[in-house]
Amino acid sequence: MATNTNPTKPAVRALLHGQVGEIRTTFTFADVNRPMSAAFPAGAQITSTVITVTQAFNAGTTNPLTVGSTPGGSDLVAAIDSVAGTVGVKRPDTATALGRLAADTVPYISYAPTGTAPTQGSAEIVFLYVAPRA
């Protein structure tokens, strides 16, 4: 057997996959704008976003629930994708920050209703992401 050729398979203990992580939080109509409890590491790629609206947000005119990489931003979840005014599971995937994140990124949840002030609304937001390999 030749010893100067590259193996055709990776070594037995080679790590063939990145680490998968999650960031999860519950958000209510009273929270208005706040950061989530954890951040995505630089180079991470969001693979899945799930918003479960357990109690519909009930502002008089609009119920824009967004998630962004800056306060008030919507580059991770746009308002049209969260549909916070109706109960159910939403799987938004049209945000602009869907590639690898350039820097450590704290997701900020924003809720800026219009019309009559809301009196109810609750949602759980879950991000799954793949961390970069070192």
Side-chain angles (χ1 to χ4, degrees):
M1 175 175 179
T3 59
N4 61 346
T5 59
N6 290 331
T8 57
K9 295 182 182 178
V12 175
R13 289 180 174 74
L15 185 61
L16 301 176
H17 55 82
Q19 179 181 4
V20 176
E22 93 174 325
I23 298 176
R24 170 190 306 248
T25 195
T26 299
F27 185 84
T28 71
F29 74 96
D31 291 332
V32 183
N33 297 300
R34 71 173 169 88
M36 291 181 77
S37 59
F40 299 108
Q45 187 167 6
I46 299 169
T47 58
S48 173
T49 305
V50 176
I51 297 175
T52 305
V53 177
T54 55
Q55 183 180 44
F57 290 73
N58 69 344
T61 308
T62 63
N63 292 285
L65 177 66
T66 61
V67 184
S69 57
T70 58
S74 62
D75 57 336
L76 299 175
V77 176
I80 195 166
D81 292 332
S82 68
V83 194
T86 59
V87 171
V89 176
K90 290 74 162 102
R91 290 183 172 81
D93 64 358
T94 58
T96 58
L98 293 179
R100 292 192 182 276
L101 299 171
D104 290 352
T105 303
V106 175
Y108 292 88
I109 308 168
S110 299
Y111 177 60
T114 59
T116 312
T119 58
Q120 69 178 27
S122 179
E124 183 175 28
I125 301 166
V126 179
F127 287 102
L128 295 179
Y129 66 93
V130 178
R133 286 187 254 174

